[in-house]
Amino acid sequence: MHKHKEEPKISCLTFQRQEPVIKDITDKINKAEGVQEKARYAEELQKEVDILLNCQDYKKEILDCKNCHFIANLRKKTADLIIKAKKLA
């Protein structure tokens, strides 16, 4: 029997609220045709990720907070790369 691998859960209301929004925008980026359209969604992604990176409840000693910031920083870097690609196009 094959079990579906469950995504790790981060026990934080802010993360749980933002995650579906971020995943939706990420899906739009992946489906977008050109770099211009991808960049438009990437700018949206930056705003949503910034909510996590600027969280008032962030505590560096809490594992969920560390994981949230790690994931958010990766997504921000991805969005930055897409926006840079638009400028080069």
Side-chain angles (χ1 to χ4, degrees):
M1 285 175 42
H2 254 270
K3 279 187 174 183
H4 287 294
K5 185 179 177 199
E6 254 185 68
E7 289 186 31
K9 300 275 189 265
I10 293 179
S11 301
C12 167
L13 284 177
T14 304
F15 181 84
Q16 290 169 3
R17 272 195 305 266
Q18 286 303 107
E19 189 62 8
V21 174
I22 289 170
K23 283 189 179 220
D24 182 57
I25 296 168
T26 302
D27 287 344
K28 289 177 181 175
I29 290 171
N30 291 334
K31 291 175 185 168
E33 290 297 315
V35 72
Q36 299 293 327
E37 188 181 356
K38 286 182 186 293
R40 196 171 56 236
Y41 290 124
E43 289 167 1
E44 219 177 292
L45 180 64
Q46 281 181 321
K47 290 176 192 162
E48 299 300 332
V49 166
D50 281 343
I51 292 170
L52 296 176
L53 293 173
N54 297 318
C55 180
Q56 294 177 346
D57 297 325
Y58 175 76
K59 291 179 181 61
K60 64 182 176 187
E61 65 277 1
I62 296 176
L63 187 59
D64 279 343
C65 288
K66 286 181 187 176
N67 288 336
C68 172
H69 267 219
F70 179 77
I71 292 166
N73 275 310
L74 285 177
R75 288 173 170 158
K76 186 160 183 84
K77 287 177 185 173
T78 301
D80 289 346
L81 285 173
I82 294 168
I83 292 165
K84 282 182 184 169
K86 173 190 148 188
K87 291 176 183 171
L88 295 173

